Amino acid sequence: MVRLRLAFIAVIGIHSVAVAQTAVERGSYLVNTIMTCGNCHTPKGPLAAVAGKDFSGGLTWDEPPFKVTAPNITQDKETGIGNWTEAQIKTMLLTGKNPHGIQEAEIMPTAFYPILTPGDLDGIVAYMRTLTPVKNKVPDPVYKIALPHHVFPGAEKSYSQADLNDKLKRGFYLATIGHCMECHTPFAPPGGRDFNNSLGKGGAEFPGPWGISKSRNITSSKTAGIGDWTDTEIKTAITQGKRKDGTPLKGPMGYAYYAKMSDTDLDAVIAYLRTVPAKE
């Protein structure tokens, strides 16, 4: 009887591996959680995303070197990316170059995506192919200078699936494709985020319906960062937008997206954040 039970458990274990996430399911999970793609690419009303317009274009940034609007990434052939090939989508994600060979603004966090595992990259593209076509023409981008492409330190090389079995590597991977340090690292002259000296120090300003919010120090500093926060407090901040004292945090951080992450992934991200060198 014991052997039969063990055999049954083994079969169940094998079956669970066999029915692991499909490519589309994995892509959907990443796009709709840690990567928060809809946070920028979905039009917003006064209070929330516009119903039925998911991924059809969204926020606008008017900066000295450029003025861009997050484009329509649905499968609409006229106003979206329905005519893009799989290779063109991957090139955009990994290099920031669109099908016309133009380097797009790093507001789109392509500098963080070269770390994507081949399987996750395939899954993201597969999921994007399922997005309902929505006809919505956004303004064409305006580039006043040739834009650079800076790859985030540590993201230069694609991770393997085996890398994700290591908790700290998994946390770094998720925080990277989630481009956490894009917002939580200040600029340094003459331009670009100061990843070398101020990684995670916070201080970048983000105007929006919430007013003006400033990104928080998320280094391991116990005085200025989150070094004295418990794992539960960090998780609550990430998924519910609440400070240690329970007061609400402002946007544009995608709390609702992170709330759909698995506990395993959240724990890995927190474990990685514990390793970020303290900055005052």
Side-chain angles (χ1 to χ4, degrees):
M1 181 62 74
V2 171
R3 287 181 179 177
L4 286 174
R5 286 178 179 173
L6 289 175
F8 178 75
I9 291 170
V11 170
I12 291 297
I14 292 170
H15 178 69
S16 67
V17 172
V19 296
Q21 283 181 312
T22 65
V24 170
E25 289 169 342
R26 176 63 175 171
S28 175
Y29 173 76
L30 294 174
V31 165
N32 293 302
T33 61
I34 189 66
M35 294 177 75
T36 64
C37 300
N39 208 24
C40 291
H41 286 277
T42 297
K44 304 290 195 297
L47 298 177
V50 178
K53 296 287 188 179
D54 291 350
F55 301 107
S56 67
L59 302 180
T60 296
W61 293 265
D62 192 352
E63 306 286 344
F66 56 79
K67 183 176 182 180
V68 298
T69 298
N72 184 336
I73 57 172
T74 73
Q75 286 296 293
D76 183 68
K77 292 182 181 296
E78 294 180 9
T79 64
I81 61 170
N83 286 322
W84 288 34
T85 66
E86 178 179 315
Q88 288 171 333
I89 297 173
K90 288 183 176 180
T91 296
M92 179 63 199
L93 288 170
L94 298 178
T95 71
K97 287 187 177 180
N98 66 26
H100 303 291
I102 296 172
Q103 189 71 53
E104 300 205 350
E106 288 191 332
I107 289 294
M108 170 66 177
T110 55
F112 296 81
Y113 296 155
I115 197 175
L116 281 164
T117 68
D120 281 353
L121 182 60
D122 288 342
I124 291 164
V125 174
Y127 172 67
M128 291 178 72
R129 290 298 199 197
T130 72
L131 296 180
T132 302
V134 177
K135 195 169 296 298
N136 182 39
K137 179 72 172 71
V138 303
D140 291 330
V142 176
Y143 297 120
K144 301 167 188 176
I145 62 171
L147 299 176
H149 185 252
H150 307 102
V151 178
F152 179 67
E156 301 89 353
K157 182 181 177 183
S158 171
Y159 263 30
S160 68
Q161 193 61 40
D163 287 323
L164 302 188
N165 295 329
D166 180 281
K167 187 175 184 177
L168 284 180
K169 286 185 176 181
R170 186 183 192 90
F172 175 74
Y173 176 82
L174 292 166
T176 299
I177 66 172
H179 48 93
C180 301
M181 296 304 175
E182 179 186 33
C183 294
H184 287 276
T185 302
F187 279 106
R193 301 289 181 188
D194 188 10
F195 296 127
N196 291 326
N197 302 303
S198 301
L199 182 72
K201 194 165 74 170
E205 292 188 347
F206 297 89
W210 49 80
I212 296 180
S213 61
K214 223 176 234 192
S215 64
R216 181 186 173 85
N217 184 325
I218 56 171
T219 73
S220 56
S221 168
K222 292 187 177 182
T223 54
I226 56 175
D228 68 339
W229 289 42
T230 66
D231 286 3
T232 298
E233 288 168 341
I234 296 173
K235 192 176 291 189
T236 298
I238 292 173
T239 61
Q240 299 179 35
K242 293 181 180 179
R243 299 182 180 88
K244 288 179 67 172
D245 62 5
T247 57
L249 292 161
K250 295 180 180 179
M253 190 161 157
Y255 312 111
Y257 295 89
Y258 305 136
K260 293 181 271 188
M261 289 176 65
S262 70
D263 285 337
T264 299
D265 283 349
L266 283 167
D267 289 342
V269 169
I270 292 169
Y272 160 66
L273 291 176
R274 297 288 191 202
T275 72
V276 178
K279 300 290 182 182
E280 302 305 321

